[in-house]
Amino acid sequence: LASAIAVAGQGSPASLSGYTTEEVEPGVWRVDSDGVRELARPYDQTPPRAGVVAGPDGSVWLLGPQEHLKVGGETVTLDKARRPRADSFAQASIGPDGRLWWTARGLHVYDGTEWTKVRKAPKNGGIGAVLPTSEGVVWAAVTQAGKTRLARFDEDGWIVPSRRRAGFGEAIARDG
């Protein structure tokens, strides 16, 4: 109890101001309520999530197969065209401009108001990890015919700069 009091006395980071939080490990904070909704629920009552993604703009999104929740903000419902297929999964990234990129059934971007489908997945393929850069280039792991490659897109479609295969666990790193 004494160590819990000492930790509680330090307070949560300023970025969590206005949220109900609990420090679960030194320097790791759980947000129980973001002032908009209660986020802490028993595990068996928690909807399945596709993950958590934090952006360089300070935003944090909880991602689900049917909706995305911006911590401290809006809930964005996904229409059927943006939901992952039953045998698939989706990944997301937040660009330097704060837009949310989503890879289910193609590549989509949410600008805070509406979704735009940017690109279809390559024929008979899928899109894995996605990373928008500060230069406006969007990189993605694109799988087609059982091969995953690093690709980018522009107005002409998907560009695969090399035939180098990307490994399943290969990460795309954000620039400084």
Side-chain angles (χ1 to χ4, degrees):
L1 184 59
S3 63
I5 293 169
V7 170
Q10 293 175 2
S12 62
S15 61
L16 298 177
S17 176
Y19 299 161
T20 303
T21 62
E22 180 181 343
E23 190 173 29
V24 294
E25 293 285 336
V28 178
W29 295 85
R30 182 181 70 209
V31 176
D32 294 331
S33 172
D34 63 0
V36 177
R37 67 190 72 77
E38 293 297 317
L39 298 171
R41 298 182 195 143
Y43 184 75
D44 62 349
Q45 295 175 14
T46 302
R49 302 254 183 250
V52 176
V53 64
D57 64 344
S59 63
V60 176
W61 288 80
L62 305 176
L63 307 170
Q66 296 184 12
E67 66 182 13
H68 300 330
L69 308 173
K70 185 175 184 180
V71 174
E74 63 192 304
T75 299
V76 179
T77 302
L78 298 171
D79 60 24
K80 188 173 181 176
R82 289 180 181 83
R83 293 180 186 167
R85 291 181 176 91
D87 62 345
S88 184
F89 67 97
Q91 292 189 359
S93 183
I94 300 180
D97 57 3
R99 294 187 303 163
L100 176 66
W101 294 79
W102 179 244
T103 67
R105 300 182 192 219
L107 184 59
H108 310 268
V109 63
Y110 181 72
D111 65 6
T113 304
E114 64 183 342
W115 284 101
T116 301
K117 186 169 191 170
V118 178
R119 286 277 179 243
K120 292 181 180 179
K123 186 176 180 181
N124 299 322
I127 304 168
V130 59
L131 177 70
T133 68
S134 57
E135 293 82 26
V137 176
V138 178
W139 290 92
V142 175
T143 302
Q144 191 174 22
K147 296 179 182 177
T148 302
R149 302 190 190 282
L150 188 60
R152 63 181 170 82
F153 74 84
D154 64 16
E155 63 278 351
D156 295 326
W158 290 103
I159 307 294
V160 181
S162 74
R163 290 290 162 204
R164 182 179 175 278
R165 288 180 63 162
F168 177 76
E170 188 168 355
I172 303 173
R174 183 176 305 281
D175 56 338

